[in-house]
Structures are given as C-alpha cells and as structure tokens.
Amino acid sequence: MSISPGRGGRRELVHRIRPERSGGLGRAASLLFFDVSLYLSLSAALLLSVNWWVKALLALFAGIAIARLFLIGHDACHRTFFPSARGLNAVVGRVVFLPSLTPYSTWELGHNTLHHGFTNLRGKDYVYTPFSRTEFDALPPWRRLLERVYRHPAGPGLHYGIEVWWKRLWFPRRSGDHPEREIWLWDSILTLGFLVTQVAVSIGVAHVTGQNPVAQVLWAVVLPFAIWNVLMGFVTYQQHTHPNVAWYADRREWDPIKAQVQSTVHVVFPPPIGALLGNIMEHTAHHVDVAIPLFDLPEAQRRVESEFPEITVVRWSLRYYLDCCRRCKLYDYESKSWIGFGSRNNSPSR
C-alpha cells in the first residue's frame, strides 16, 4: 500500500498495527528489577576493581546498562511501561533516567512533544536536523568543522552530548516557543544531585581502596556516561538518517502520517543486539503508535511493514553505516535530496 495523507486516519492505522500487550505489571517490574540490579552491580564492581583493563570492560558494560535503563525511562515517559499504573511511570522514569543524567521533563518536551509531534520538520524536531547548503556556508569556520565531525561515522555521540543533552536537556536555556518551566529546573537539579553523589562515592571508594581519586572518577563516572552518549547518538542518527529519508522545512509540505512512516528507518541488527537495544530499532511502529511498549515492538513493526511495504528497512552492516554517513551530510530541502559537503547530489528522498 502506498502512503496517502490521512488514509483511514491515524486512529484506524493505530488500530490495525497495535498488537495485544504481551505482558503486564509483572513483566515490566521484572525488567526494571533486572536492569537496575545490573547497573548497580556493574557500578559497584567498577568502583572496587583495581585493574585498568577490568575497569575499561566494566565501564563499557555500565554504559550499556545506562542505555537499557534509559529505554525503560523512554517507555515510562510515554506512559506505556506501566499501563495499569500510569502514575508510577513518572516516578520510575525519573529514577531510571538518573544514570544518563536526563531530566525527565525536558526529555518529555524534546522527545514526546517536538520529535514525535513534528518528526523530521526543521525548526521543531532538533535531533540530527541537517543543514542546507546555504545554512552551512553561513556558519563560522569552527561550526562548519564541528558539523563535519558530527557527520563523521565517529561523530554521533559527540552530537548527542553537545547538541541534544547539553544544549536542550540539561538545565535548558530559555526559548521563545517554550519559556522556562520550573519543573525543568528541578529535574535538572535532581540529575545534578545524582552526579554529585556519584563523584563523592567514587572518591570515597578510591580513598578506602588506595586508588587515584581522579582516575576513579574518570573510570566510574565519565567513561560510562561517554559510552552512553556514543550509544545514544549512534542509535538516534540511524533512526532518521538515510538517503531515502526526507526532511521538511515547510510545514505545509509535512504530513504527520507520512512523517512517522516514511521518515523513520527500521535498522535490523542481529537478534542479540536488537534485544539488547530493547527493540528500539523497530522504530517505525513506535512512531506510528507510541503506546506500544518495548516488549511488543517487533510484532507491531511486522504489522506496519505489511501495511506499508515502502518503509525503509536496512540490515545493518559497517559498510552500510559508512556509506550512509558518507552520503548524508547536508540536505536540499527544495529537491528533497541529501548532498555532500561538496554540494554533490547523492540521492532524492521520497
């Protein structure tokens, strides 16, 4: 089936692709207990270990554990992790967001309202929005260089850390569209308190175990957080960046159903990696219906792809990723095509 604006309406589309929920409160609570326990165990082992290579390995796993907790918070922020105890979602979401230093309310604004509400619409959706050639050329030299770094295969983590987390989520600055709200400040302070506690505990354990306090903070606090940023940037870049994916500068050209279906990529990783990522790469289904919890996204994705065979589906490989990064640098919003930094047309988006 081809996608037509408003075909059947959003409500009918959601009804067709939404599977029965495969688990209730018990399944959600079990996953929460497992991932919190995993994070705490890895953090404790990381603090107590004295071998640098063991610390490096544990920091990697701790970064992955942070990502898994974040995925629970992501569902909780959509009020879907505990569907029968919806008030619990805000509490759990705030707690599991702490290791990633993500303020719950600013994430809710940036992700739920702007990203999902205006997917791939420049000026609203700010996650990896591409510059046009004119915009890029008007940037100062240092910012053009930074954009080249962001669009390098190794750059998504830096982009997420600076452009999303630092500028938009953590202690956000005032903006004309969204004046500063008190809850943003308090949620940011909550994450700051967690960071201060992390640093204090790391230094305390370092003194007790005879380790270097500065090195301990770097291993136990900074490195896992950096790994989390790399993972988050790596995932979010690929969810909405592909030579076939269109971005829009004019809201009159933008259609909400088309945006959720055509501007969202289903990147297929090998099964263990997909499960480790909490099925978040079954991303089209999530955009069509945010009420589908992470447990049920694979089935929902199969259904949405049966409705819309033209959805962009790619099997991830290093070759694919490098090619995507090479081709998707800037965007021509008039011809709907990605271009390189050297203005070479790569391919039209749909």
Side-chain angles (χ1 to χ4, degrees):
M1 287 183 183
S2 62
I3 302 169
S4 59
R7 182 175 62 83
R10 181 73 174 271
R11 184 175 298 179
E12 181 184 333
L13 175 58
V14 166
H15 176 74
R16 292 201 301 269
I17 68 111
R18 182 183 293 179
E20 292 294 324
R21 187 178 174 101
S22 61
L25 185 64
R27 185 173 183 179
S30 297
L31 180 63
L32 175 64
F33 177 79
F34 174 81
D35 280 330
V36 169
S37 299
L38 177 65
Y39 171 72
L40 292 176
S41 299
L42 288 168
S43 297
L46 182 53
L47 288 170
L48 295 172
S49 175
V50 295
N51 295 322
W52 71 266
W53 64 270
V54 175
K55 281 187 176 294
L57 189 62
L58 289 170
L60 172 62
F61 289 133
I64 295 173
I66 291 172
R68 287 182 58 85
L69 286 174
F70 181 87
L71 293 175
I72 292 176
H74 167 270
D75 268 27
C77 199
H78 281 300
R79 310 293 193 273
T80 60
F81 193 69
F82 292 112
S84 59
R86 296 176 69 84
L88 188 57
N89 285 294
V91 176
V92 170
R94 283 179 165 85
V95 172
V96 295
F97 271 174
L98 289 175
S100 63
L101 303 180
T102 302
Y104 182 88
S105 54
T106 58
W107 173 261
E108 186 175 35
L109 169 66
H111 182 73
N112 294 14
T113 303
L114 299 179
H115 177 60
H116 277 277
F118 303 95
T119 302
N120 283 35
L121 178 62
R122 188 178 65 175
K124 291 289 188 179
D125 187 357
Y126 58 75
V127 180
Y128 251 112
T129 308
F131 286 113
S132 68
R133 161 58 59 190
T134 301
E135 291 169 334
F136 180 77
D137 289 343
L139 295 173
W142 69 268
R143 185 58 184 84
R144 291 199 298 270
L145 176 60
L146 186 58
E147 187 65 16
R148 289 178 179 273
V149 172
Y150 288 161
R151 294 281 168 178
H152 185 274
L158 191 64
H159 175 274
Y160 182 81
I162 295 175
E163 300 297 327
V164 178
W165 179 73
W166 178 250
K167 291 186 177 181
R168 300 280 190 160
L169 298 179
W170 213 48
F171 292 96
R173 290 67 170 166
R174 287 180 179 272
S175 71
D177 292 337
H178 301 279
E180 185 177 10
R181 293 169 52 194
E182 188 175 355
I183 188 63
W184 299 352
L185 176 62
W186 286 114
D187 278 340
S188 295
I189 289 174
L190 179 65
T191 61
L192 177 61
F194 181 83
L195 175 60
V196 170
T197 302
Q198 274 189 306
V199 172
V201 170
S202 298
I203 293 174
V205 172
H207 283 303
V208 170
T209 56
Q211 300 182 64
N212 183 300
V214 175
Q216 179 79 306
V217 170
L218 292 175
W219 283 116
V221 179
V222 177
L223 186 55
F225 181 70
I227 291 169
W228 143 251
N229 276 273
V230 169
L231 288 172
M232 185 62 168
F234 176 75
V235 166
T236 55
Y237 171 81
Q238 294 179 90
Q239 287 172 338
H240 298 280
T241 304
H242 184 278
N244 290 343
V245 164
W247 278 79
Y248 300 88
D250 187 343
R251 189 166 178 174
R252 293 170 297 183
E253 297 179 332
W254 179 86
D255 175 77
I257 294 182
K258 278 190 172 184
Q260 309 309 333
V261 174
Q262 288 188 331
S263 297
T264 308
V265 183
H266 178 200
V267 182
V268 182
F269 286 96
I273 299 177
L276 190 66
L277 293 174
N279 301 320
I280 198 60
M281 300 313 288
E282 277 74 15
H283 205 54
T284 319
H286 172 63
H287 265 264
V288 171
D289 182 8
V290 297
I292 300 172
L294 59 89
F295 313 112
D296 300 323
L297 284 174
E299 173 60 25
Q301 185 68 33
R302 284 191 287 273
R303 293 188 181 191
V304 79
E305 286 176 16
S306 70
E307 291 281 337
F308 303 111
E310 64 270 48
I311 288 172
T312 300
V313 181
V314 297
R315 294 197 173 275
W316 193 91
S317 67
L318 181 59
R319 181 178 181 179
Y320 156 73
Y321 177 62
L322 294 176
D323 183 63
C324 184
C325 291
R326 177 184 62 82
R327 298 169 68 184
C328 300
K329 301 296 189 184
L330 304 174
Y331 196 71
D332 186 328
Y333 286 90
E334 293 185 4
S335 66
K336 294 291 181 289
S337 60
W338 289 90
I339 57 178
F341 287 124
S343 296
R344 180 173 57 85
N345 247 11
N346 289 322
S347 66
S349 305
R350 281 179 282 188

